[in-house]
């Protein structure tokens, strides 16, 4: 209990004093995760919509595999990305290992299945509704995807926020591909792991509290901007 | 406006699902000078035939041939109104703008046309209402507005007033009449014989997936050729 | 607006990765024990000041550090596991092994001390006593330098760690800090490096019970990597680092580093010939 109280006061002071190290780590956490979410959304949302709309022979298997990948342990993704980006690996020449870019790559891979899966399900339901209209009115396949994505945007926002949540709290993969290098690839989650390992529980908890506060603030901000709770259902 | 789509020729067209024939074989010609109304008992295949003509169903055998040779024009110049209106989850105005935006009509012009059409169908004041919140009658009027805003040659309607109250039905029949006066060809299904009598210039009668009659309306009402048609007109079969 | 935010975050991420591999930057893999001692917080800035080199530390277990060296993902390795280091060199991944300093391992355990280590100076006697009393003992279990030392000590006491009963011998597969946490939680004995223990903030009812046996001394060595295996690594910077670590200034910094008034490391580098 003492640890938690110490943590709360430590978190408070860190935030209020704009502790330089903390600000740096927070900024890095956000820029890595936001980049990963943006990139994964640009790939995953249209792809999820596309497989919802297109009929092809192996669709059922593709969907099953993507759903299964949601349960993939992030550490495994980290190991695979490490092997690929290692200097001894196929993409070693790119010199990406132990950089924030490598962390973004790992996080994109980790959250893609969630984004695709939720998008696919939402779009499928909407497509069932719009099907005859969109065909009758004369849309190209791409126009269908865009229309569905736009009209389903509230559900898609949920998908994106789910992806964000998964990425901001992830530690295993980015530890391996980022290396938790001080001032270079250290983020909130890896810092928490480090302090826990050193036995400094109250600092670790304080960082954890900061992480949760950031996640809550971001979520609130996004919901306010998109007025999700204001009007009725979409 | 003279339509380049009609006459439409159906040549031995069959629509089937899992080896059950929904309609066909149908060989007939639908000429200009409608409205042409497709009537018949429940399950006769009216909706299927209408959807076949529009391209929402594919012919298992046979074909549907339009007077217009360019298949893209054929698609562009038709609009379809569904029995239960399908609304986009947007405002009424945005629903009517939608088909115009698909065709690359500039935003300002599209908005103008849409507003004019919404007023024409009697929905002025509801432009910003979420389309899914409209009543059945209002939604169907909006669907007609959306269908007409692209100035189609041919308007197909599938039992458009089936679940509406009497006033809404009258309003919609008035809109259809107006469209006829504007030169739009109409092909429509109905199970309401009163409606058929009020609106039709030609009657196509279907019975158990077969097309039994395709005649001028007056001739049909006076003296239906087939037995089944006569019994249907007399109200013996539904 | 959305596009702007996207461009902004992407460019920021990209910018930060470019900055990483600047010319005077090198990556050094070190063990968690070394990092936990806090010595790196003294040495890294001093290195920058004296040589201009920015050393990026990857703090991992000994096994992973050597693996990173084999893969060519770091420019040098600093670990404390002589056998593994010599094998590393024999396999051709490293050119040279340079001893820098040593610290010692200590026996930590519950204040109640059921195995009576407080009176014992010899490591083997201590271990035999723990085994005899079946007192809970936490092992790193992660093939780290510390773990390997621990295993060899048990062997010296005539006990094979593979056969020790898991009811009291607990292999946790974790780093030093995490293992100490677990020992604290279990009120168990554990072999730790002195620095990690002094820096450990969750001591609970554990105490430092036994130390001093020469077999507990822990030699740290720097491994410079073989540029023939990995031409891209910064051999020049590694050599500079090596030269700095054996220099008088570095050795003095190492020898005077204290926690709670105790020095932890004994600098023992020999002069390296400038090759």
């Amino acid at each position: 209990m003492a640890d938690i109280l110490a943590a709360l006061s430590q978190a408070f002071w860190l935030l209020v004093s704009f502790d330089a190290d903390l600000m740096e780590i927070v900024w890095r956490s956000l820029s890595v995760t936001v980049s990963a979410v943006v990139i994964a959304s640009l790939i995953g949302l249209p792809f999820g919509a596309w497989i919802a709309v297109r009929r092809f022979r192996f669709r059922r298997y593709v969907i099953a595999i993507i759903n299964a990948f949601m349960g993939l342990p992030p550490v495994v993704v980290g190991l695979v990305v490490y092997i690929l980006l290692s200097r001894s690996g196929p993409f070693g020449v790119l010199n990406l290992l132990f950089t924030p870019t490598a962390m973004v790559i790992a996080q994109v891979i980790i959250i893609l299945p969630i984004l695709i899966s939720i998008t696919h399900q939402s779009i499928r339901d909407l497509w069932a509704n719009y099907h005859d209209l969109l065909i009758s009115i004369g849309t190209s396949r791409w126009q269908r995807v865009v229309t569905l994505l736009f009209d389903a945007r509230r559900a898609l926002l949920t998908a994106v926020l789910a992806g964000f949540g998964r990425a901001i709290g992830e530690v295993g993969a980015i530890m391996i591909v980022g290396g938790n290098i001080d001032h270079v690839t250290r983020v909130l989650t890896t810092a928490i792991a480090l302090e826990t390992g050193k036995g400094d529980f109250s600092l670790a908890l304080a960082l954890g509290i900061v992480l949760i506060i950031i996640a809550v603030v971001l979520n609130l901000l996004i919901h306010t901007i998109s007025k999700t709770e204001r009007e009725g259902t979409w | 406006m003279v339509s380049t789509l009609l006459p439409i020729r159906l040549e031995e067209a069959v629509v089937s699902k899992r080896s059950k024939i929904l309609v066909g074989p149908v060989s007939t010609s639908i000429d200009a000078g409608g409205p042409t109304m497709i009537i018949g008992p429940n399950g006769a295949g009216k909706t299927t035939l209408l959807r076949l003509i529009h391209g929402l169903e594919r012919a298992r055998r046979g074909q549907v041939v339009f007077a217009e040779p360019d298949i893209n024009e054929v698609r562009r110049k038709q609009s379809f109104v569904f029995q239960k209106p399908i609304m986009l989850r947007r405002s009424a105005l945005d629903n009517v703008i939608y088909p115009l935006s698909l065709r690359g009509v500039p935003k300002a012009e599209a908005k103008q046309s849409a507003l004019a059409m919404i007023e024409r169908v009697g929905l002025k004041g509801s432009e910003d209402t979420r389309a899914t919140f409209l009543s059945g009658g209002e939604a169907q009027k909006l669907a007609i507005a959306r269908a007409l805003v692209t100035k189609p040659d041919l308007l197909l309607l599938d039992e458009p007033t089936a679940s509406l109250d009497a006033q809404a039905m009258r309003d919609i029949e008035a809109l259809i009449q107006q469209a006829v006066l504007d030169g739009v060809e109409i092909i429509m299904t109905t199970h309401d014989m009163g409606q058929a009598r009020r609106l039709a210039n030609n009657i196509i009668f279907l019975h158990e997936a077969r097309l039994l009659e395709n005649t001028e309306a007056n001739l049909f009402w006076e003296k239906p050729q087939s037995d089944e048609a006569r019994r249907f007109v007399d109200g013996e079969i539904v | 607006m959305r596009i702007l935010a996207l461009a902004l975050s992407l460019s920021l991420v990209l910018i930060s990765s470019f900055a990483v591999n600047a010319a005077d930057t090198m990556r050094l893999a070190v063990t968690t024990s070394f990092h936990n001692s806090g010595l790196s917080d003294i040495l890294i800035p001093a290195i920058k000041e004296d040589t201009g080199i920015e050393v990026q530390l990857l703090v991992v277990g000994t096994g992973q550090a050597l693996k990173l060296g084999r893969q060519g993902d770091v420019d040098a390795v600093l670990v404390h596991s002589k056998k593994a280091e010599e094998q590393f060199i024999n396999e051709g991944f490293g050119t040279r092994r340079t001893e820098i300093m040593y610290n010692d391992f200590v026996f930590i355990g519950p204040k109640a001390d059921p195995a009576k280590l407080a009176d014992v100076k010899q490591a083997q006697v201590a271990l035999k006593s723990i085994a005899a009393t079946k007192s809970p003992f936490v092992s790193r279990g992660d093939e780290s330098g510390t773990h390997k030392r621990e295993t060899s000590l048990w062997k010296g006491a005539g006990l094979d760690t593979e056969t020790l009963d898991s009811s009291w011998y607990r292999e946790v597969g974790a780093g030093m800090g995490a293992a100490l946490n677990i020992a604290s939680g279990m009120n168990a004995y554990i072999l730790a490096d002195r620095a990690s223990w002094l820096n450990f903030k969750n001591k609970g009812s554990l105490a430092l019970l036994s130390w001093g046996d020469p077999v507990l001394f822990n030699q740290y060595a720097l491994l410079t990597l073989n540029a023939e295996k990995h031409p891209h690594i910064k051999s020049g910077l590694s050599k500079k680092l090596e030269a700095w670590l054996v220099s008088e200034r570095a050795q003095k910094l190492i020898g005077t580093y204290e926690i709670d008034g105790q020095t932890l490391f004994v600098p023992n580098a020999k002069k390296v010939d400038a090759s």
Side-chain angles (χ1 to χ4, degrees):
Chain A
M1 202 54 213
D3 268 332
I4 298 184
L5 293 173
L8 281 167
S9 78
Q10 212 169 351
F12 176 71
W13 284 118
L14 283 172
L15 284 169
V16 158
S17 67
F18 289 100
D19 177 271
D21 281 338
L22 178 70
M23 294 297 124
E24 182 197 322
I25 284 179
V26 165
W27 174 248
R28 194 171 298 120
S29 292
L30 283 176
S31 68
V32 166
T33 295
V34 168
S35 302
V37 166
V38 167
I39 294 172
S41 298
L42 287 175
I43 301 173
L45 265 51
F47 182 71
W50 189 76
I51 55 175
V53 166
R54 190 121 166 62
R55 278 223 210 118
F56 55 95
R57 183 125 46 109
F58 302 110
R59 181 162 85 157
R60 206 171 301 159
Y61 301 106
V62 169
I63 292 169
I65 290 173
I66 290 174
N67 283 343
F69 267 69
M70 284 200 287
L72 191 64
V75 171
V76 173
V77 174
L79 279 173
V80 171
V81 174
Y82 166 76
I83 290 171
L84 291 173
L85 295 181
S86 165
R87 291 300 312 219
S88 300
F91 298 105
V93 286
L94 296 175
N95 242 346
L96 288 174
L97 195 61
F98 305 139
T99 66
T101 307
M103 297 158 78
V104 171
I105 292 174
Q107 291 204 335
V108 166
I109 297 175
I110 290 169
I111 64 179
L112 258 182
I114 301 172
L115 287 180
I116 294 175
S117 190
I118 297 181
T119 300
H120 167 258
Q121 194 51 58
S122 315
I123 300 289
R124 232 169 109 169
D125 291 340
L126 191 58
W127 173 234
N129 187 346
Y130 281 9
H131 180 269
D132 281 352
L133 176 66
L134 293 187
I135 293 184
S136 159
I137 231 170
T139 51
S140 68
R141 246 194 218 106
W142 177 244
Q143 285 170 325
R144 285 172 209 168
V145 166
V146 170
T147 302
L148 288 167
L149 284 176
F150 184 73
D151 278 16
R153 58 193 179 283
R154 291 282 155 80
L156 298 186
L157 185 63
T158 306
V160 169
L161 288 175
F164 177 82
R166 190 107 199 272
I168 197 82
E170 199 276 314
V171 61
I174 56 176
M175 188 74 105
I176 297 175
V177 307
N180 196 17
I181 301 174
D182 205 9
H183 300 302
V184 180
T185 52
R186 187 162 298 170
V187 293
L188 270 171
T189 49
T190 55
I192 291 172
L194 186 67
E195 296 306 324
T196 306
K198 282 192 195 163
D200 193 347
F201 282 2
S202 62
L203 180 55
L205 275 174
L207 293 174
I209 290 169
V210 171
L211 180 62
I212 293 176
I213 289 175
I214 289 173
V216 168
V217 165
L218 219 89
N219 266 272
L220 277 175
L221 212 70
I222 291 181
H223 277 289
T224 315
I225 292 177
S226 50
K227 305 190 190 88
T228 353
E229 296 311 310
R230 209 83 73 70
E231 297 147 325
T233 45
W234 257 121
Chain B
M1 165 179 26
V2 177
S3 170
T4 58
L5 293 184
L6 274 60
I8 304 171
R9 247 182 20 252
L10 289 108
E11 298 168 354
E12 295 289 309
V14 175
V15 179
S16 60
K17 207 150 254 167
R18 285 183 237 268
S19 69
K20 173 167 188 234
I21 292 188
L22 298 175
V23 76
V26 170
S27 295
T28 193
S29 172
I30 302 177
D31 300 323
T36 300
M37 301 206 49
I38 305 172
I39 63 174
N42 274 336
K46 306 190 290 292
T47 299
T48 311
L49 180 62
L50 194 70
R51 288 169 65 95
L52 171 65
I53 293 170
H54 185 53
L56 282 172
E57 303 290 345
R58 224 174 294 174
R60 176 65 67 93
R61 288 200 304 277
Q63 51 180 344
V64 179
V65 183
F66 288 79
E68 166 69 60
D70 183 352
I71 189 109
N72 291 319
E73 285 289 289
V74 166
R75 303 240 59 189
R76 273 170 38 92
K77 288 181 175 177
Q78 293 179 48
S79 289
F80 199 101
V81 172
F82 298 91
Q83 182 172 345
K84 227 177 138 248
I86 302 177
M87 286 297 137
L88 298 174
R89 292 178 189 178
R90 306 177 183 188
S91 68
L93 180 62
D94 285 336
N95 264 274
V96 182
I97 289 178
Y98 184 68
L100 295 175
S101 66
L102 287 179
R103 287 153 202 236
V105 175
K107 270 201 200 143
E109 191 188 319
K111 189 167 174 191
Q112 286 281 64
S113 309
L115 283 171
M117 196 54 76
I118 285 180
E119 185 168 349
R120 203 175 110 170
V121 301
L123 287 177
K124 185 166 171 150
S126 303
E127 298 87 358
D128 296 323
T129 313
R130 197 79 54 78
T132 45
F133 288 174
L134 296 172
S135 73
E138 290 173 329
Q140 199 60 295
K141 289 179 193 171
L142 188 65
I144 292 177
R146 185 176 61 195
L148 290 176
V149 81
T150 51
K151 301 205 186 19
D153 277 17
L154 173 62
L155 178 64
L156 303 119
L157 303 104
D158 184 19
E159 301 203 29
T161 57
S163 42
L164 302 182
D165 62 68
Q167 181 60 51
M169 182 170 73
R170 280 195 288 272
D171 292 341
I172 287 181
E173 286 188 12
L175 290 175
I176 295 175
Q177 306 263 30
Q178 181 63 47
V180 173
L181 290 176
D182 290 337
V184 181
E185 283 293 340
I186 307 278
I187 303 177
M188 153 176 184
T189 62
T190 187
H191 68 270
D192 178 348
M193 263 196 294
Q195 184 170 82
R197 282 183 195 271
R198 285 191 292 277
L199 298 179
N201 253 0
N202 300 313
I203 297 281
I204 289 178
F205 176 74
L206 294 184
H207 177 71
E208 285 177 5
R210 303 300 309 269
L211 183 147
L212 296 184
E213 307 221 20
N214 182 358
T215 50
E216 216 194 298
N218 294 330
L219 291 175
F220 180 81
W221 298 124
E222 240 171 277
K223 202 172 169 67
Q225 297 287 69
S226 58
D227 223 23
E228 294 85 343
R230 198 178 326 112
R231 280 159 60 208
F232 179 72
V233 168
D234 289 343
E236 280 170 40
I237 44 177
V238 283
Chain C
M1 198 217 71
R2 227 178 288 165
I3 304 179
L4 280 176
L6 162 63
L8 187 65
S9 30
L10 279 181
S11 41
L12 281 168
V13 169
L14 287 173
I15 287 171
S16 29
S17 15
F18 287 146
V20 160
N21 237 338
D24 291 337
T25 310
M26 66 172 285
R27 290 185 185 137
L28 176 67
V30 301
T31 59
T32 46
S33 337
F34 171 72
H35 178 75
N36 285 358
S37 70
L39 179 58
S40 46
D41 291 338
I42 304 288
L43 294 182
I44 300 296
I47 295 173
K48 180 93 198 271
E49 206 186 302
D50 292 351
T51 64
I53 301 177
E54 191 176 311
V55 176
Q56 290 180 352
L57 290 183
L58 278 98
V59 182
V60 291
T62 303
Q64 197 175 350
L66 292 171
K67 172 80 176 164
L68 289 175
R70 286 193 174 91
Q71 296 272 111
D73 288 327
V74 292
D75 301 302
V77 174
L78 180 71
V79 290
H80 52 105
S81 183
K82 187 165 178 188
K83 262 222 201 91
E85 294 159 23
E86 285 172 343
Q87 186 186 7
F88 189 79
I89 306 243
N90 285 341
E91 286 172 4
F93 289 104
T95 43
R96 195 160 51 235
R97 175 181 175 270
T98 308
E99 295 187 343
I100 308 291
M101 68 221 176
Y102 66 88
N103 67 355
D104 62 336
F105 290 108
V106 296
F107 280 100
I108 306 295
K111 287 195 181 111
D113 197 8
K116 304 250 179 297
L117 293 198
D119 311 318
V120 172
K121 278 295 160 210
Q122 285 168 297
Q124 289 184 10
V125 174
L127 290 175
K128 281 193 188 130
S129 177
I130 293 173
T133 55
K134 292 199 186 330
S135 306
F137 182 92
V138 170
S139 162
R140 290 279 297 272
D142 62 348
E143 299 297 310
S144 60
T146 309
H147 180 226
K148 290 192 173 135
R149 174 64 61 94
E150 182 219 315
T151 312
S152 70
L153 289 174
W154 283 108
K155 203 160 160 205
L159 295 159
D160 181 2
T161 51
E162 307 263 321
T163 61
L164 295 177
D165 195 283
S166 57
S167 62
W168 62 269
Y169 182 75
R170 303 283 169 83
E171 290 200 343
V172 296
M176 196 72 250
L180 280 166
N181 275 334
I182 296 173
S184 177
M186 281 186 191
N187 236 6
Y189 287 96
I190 183 169
L191 184 74
D193 63 283
R194 189 185 291 268
S196 291
W197 166 251
L198 289 173
N199 264 337
F200 183 58
K201 292 186 174 57
N202 192 25
K203 295 183 166 78
S205 60
L206 297 180
L208 172 56
L209 296 175
S210 171
W211 65 94
D213 188 336
V215 300
L216 294 175
F217 291 173
N218 182 30
Q219 178 69 54
Y220 282 83
L222 180 76
L223 294 171
T224 43
L225 304 185
N226 186 354
E228 276 169 40
K229 286 252 184 194
H230 298 292
H232 63 269
I233 60 171
K234 304 197 175 161
S235 313
L237 296 183
S238 298
K239 287 206 180 96
K240 271 200 196 160
L241 176 68
E242 185 191 23
W244 188 86
L245 283 171
V246 306
S247 72
E248 236 183 85
R249 162 139 156 91
Q251 295 281 296
K252 182 144 182 250
L253 281 173
I254 292 170
T256 53
Y257 177 68
E258 295 183 343
I259 300 178
D260 289 343
Q262 285 194 45
T263 56
L264 298 170
F265 294 95
V266 176
N268 70 338
K270 306 181 186 67
K271 272 279 175 283
V272 171
D273 53 12
S275 41

